[in-house]
Amino acid sequence: IQLAGSMSPAAEASRGAQSDDSLFQTLITTAADGIMVIDARGIVRVYSPACERLFQYEPGEVIGQNVKILMPEPYRAEHDGYIHRYNATGEARIIGSGRAVSGRRRDGSTFPMYLSVGAGVLDGERIFVGIIHDLSQINAEKAAREEQRNFLGSIVESSNDAILSKTLDGTVTSWNAAAEDMFGYTAAEMIGKPISILFP
């Protein structure tokens, strides 16, 4: 006899599994970073919408395929050997950690990404979960900052006015060509020295 409003253990377990599935699907669908699951042979089993945006392949083009289609050389040629070695020996190079690598889009272009990989077992089968973070924007911002620094540096160096900088305690940290002409000291002679030596 089952009381009204109560559930059998089997029904509760089933509802719990459905809840877990819904949570997993929500995570996969909404994650900003790409999430991918591959099996012990390197075959893609899960391919999130963020992966679709990053690699430009649709799920039907990737799921069921070897994950190496998303890799440029030399990663592509090395990948199957790496998985085989891990399955045979447990030797891990990236599993359990992460590193910056390159991904390959559908059009053949590449992009920088940070890949974190974890290993687990599902239904008795070894699986690997990859989290992919796109580094393109970060690299573009770094390049823009470097370009700005170079531009400002060229302005300072080509100025007809003496331009120098110092720390709060008065130690010289930069010294342009006009400062060399004005004071007679080279940059090598002044950088790291107290600015007070310029004054009588």
Side-chain angles (χ1 to χ4, degrees):
I1 299 172
Q2 183 174 329
L3 298 176
S6 69
M7 297 181 67
S8 69
E12 287 183 0
S14 175
R15 191 166 92 169
Q18 290 173 354
S19 177
D20 289 345
D21 286 345
S22 297
L23 180 62
F24 177 73
Q25 287 301 324
T26 300
L27 171 65
I28 292 295
T29 303
T30 61
D33 288 338
I35 299 176
M36 197 179 309
V37 178
I38 66 171
D39 65 19
R41 295 173 297 137
I43 303 302
V44 178
R45 299 303 182 193
V46 174
Y47 180 79
S48 73
C51 286
E52 194 175 344
R53 292 191 296 273
L54 288 171
F55 294 100
Q56 300 173 354
Y57 283 95
E58 294 185 8
E61 298 176 287
V62 176
I63 294 173
Q65 302 297 319
N66 193 298
V67 70
K68 66 186 180 183
I69 68 169
L70 305 176
M71 304 174 182
E73 297 295 354
Y75 309 111
R76 178 183 292 217
E78 297 170 351
H79 186 262
D80 286 348
Y82 174 64
I83 286 212
H84 176 74
R85 182 169 55 252
Y86 180 81
N87 287 329
T89 68
E91 178 190 350
R93 293 187 179 177
I94 189 174
I95 294 168
S97 61
R99 65 179 175 180
V101 294
S102 294
R104 181 181 180 276
R105 299 187 184 94
R106 192 176 190 277
D107 63 7
S109 63
T110 61
F111 66 97
M113 66 186 203
Y114 190 83
L115 174 64
S116 303
V117 180
V121 176
L122 180 65
D123 296 332
E125 181 185 11
R126 190 188 299 276
I127 61 168
F128 303 96
V129 180
I131 308 296
I132 300 126
H133 182 72
D134 185 9
L135 296 177
S136 301
Q137 185 63 33
I138 295 173
N139 286 1
E141 290 171 357
K142 285 172 62 178
R145 286 196 298 270
E146 184 63 27
E147 184 178 350
Q148 184 179 35
R149 279 195 296 269
N150 291 339
F151 176 67
L152 293 174
S154 66
I155 291 175
V156 169
E157 193 56 37
S158 62
S159 173
N160 293 323
D161 295 322
I163 300 176
L164 56 100
S165 61
K166 66 178 182 66
T167 60
L168 291 175
D169 67 1
T171 302
V172 175
T173 56
S174 67
W175 187 264
N176 74 343
E180 290 188 10
D181 294 338
M182 180 176 293
F183 293 101
Y185 293 100
T186 66
E189 292 173 313
M190 282 304 302
I191 292 177
K193 298 295 193 305
I195 196 170
S196 60
I197 66 176
L198 301 177
F199 306 113

